[in-house]
Amino acid sequence: MAPGEPSGKGGPAGLAVCVFCASSSKIDRIHVDLAAEVGAELARRGHSLVSGGAQVSCMGAVARAARAGGARTVGVIPEGLVSVEISDEANDELIVTPDMRSRKGEMDRRSDAFLILPGGIGTLEELFEVWTARVLGMHRKALVILDPTGVYDPLRELMNGLAEQGFARPKIFDAIGWTGSVDEAFDLLERSQPRIEATPEDYAEAEL
């Protein structure tokens, strides 16, 4: 399999969808309910789930709903967070990694597509890492932000401003889908998007 090719680990007809989302217990219930809706739709469409391996907040909600619908779930959690985020032992496969870097690498390796829900700095770190790699042509997996309540509106405004000032190239938006609809999010993931080819200028300049 060529680098960046989808792995097809979701099964014959499905994708292994990596969902990045919050593990905080202090967020509004609407976000936990959204995660549960995502898990249910993922299962309904015949996909499998790759997530952060915690049983709390949105991470737990998406995995429980996916399993309730018959989907296979894989959790990846660093050993330092096993007790903090409370690892979800009900996952079909639970992988404990030495640290956060290896956690993200394992999640990336096992995934065919990425879905980002509202979250904090950890979710943003994961988003920017896979978004940057997509823009640079290091993978061609679909990447979609699902944000029905506008949590990421300031982020979108910031990224538009960076592009307008020349700090980011306009084509960064070709590398990502952005929607407020669960159905549309999965439609975008399944349809995927054309590969964004990197140019020599992308590597010569620090900015994307």
Side-chain angles (χ1 to χ4, degrees):
M1 180 168 48
E5 287 286 353
S7 65
K9 299 180 189 70
L15 299 171
V17 178
C18 182
V19 177
F20 294 133
C21 58
S23 61
S24 171
S25 60
K26 299 182 183 298
I27 59 175
D28 193 290
R29 181 72 200 183
I30 192 172
H31 303 300
V32 180
D33 291 342
L34 173 65
E37 185 181 354
V38 164
E41 182 64 13
L42 177 146
R44 190 186 72 79
R45 294 191 182 219
H47 303 312
S48 67
L49 173 70
V50 178
S51 72
Q55 62 173 279
V56 297
S57 191
C58 296
M59 280 193 202
V62 68
R64 285 190 296 272
R67 285 193 295 270
R72 173 178 168 79
T73 65
V74 175
V76 186
I77 190 168
E79 56 188 356
L81 293 182
V82 167
S83 59
V84 177
E85 292 186 343
I86 312 176
S87 58
D88 186 354
E89 303 292 335
N91 276 296
D92 294 287
E93 187 177 357
L94 181 65
I95 301 155
V96 179
T97 63
D99 51 42
M100 289 291 284
R101 288 183 180 274
S102 52
R103 177 201 216 179
K104 290 188 297 179
E106 187 67 17
M107 292 173 78
D108 292 354
R109 186 180 70 81
R110 288 173 169 265
S111 302
D112 300 316
F114 301 97
L115 179 60
I116 293 84
L117 307 187
I121 58 173
T123 304
L124 288 174
E125 179 195 22
E126 292 160 339
L127 163 62
F128 278 112
E129 185 163 325
V130 295
W131 193 357
T132 298
R134 179 83 157 86
V135 171
L136 292 176
M138 295 177 178
H139 72 81
R140 54 181 181 183
K141 301 174 183 180
L143 170 62
V144 175
I145 290 176
L146 172 58
D147 182 25
T149 58
V151 170
Y152 289 137
D153 284 352
L155 173 63
R156 196 170 192 174
E157 183 178 349
L158 171 65
M159 298 309 295
N160 276 311
L162 292 175
E164 288 170 1
Q165 296 180 66
F167 290 108
R169 298 175 183 277
K171 73 178 183 181
I172 62 172
F173 297 104
D174 296 334
I176 193 167
W178 210 302
T179 181
S181 161
V182 173
D183 282 342
E184 184 179 16
F186 278 98
D187 287 345
L188 289 171
L189 290 174
E190 291 167 354
R191 187 183 313 144
S192 192
Q193 295 164 8
R195 184 172 185 175
I196 308 304
E197 298 293 347
T199 65
E201 290 77 14
D202 288 322
Y203 294 102
E205 300 179 11
E207 292 80 15
L208 297 174

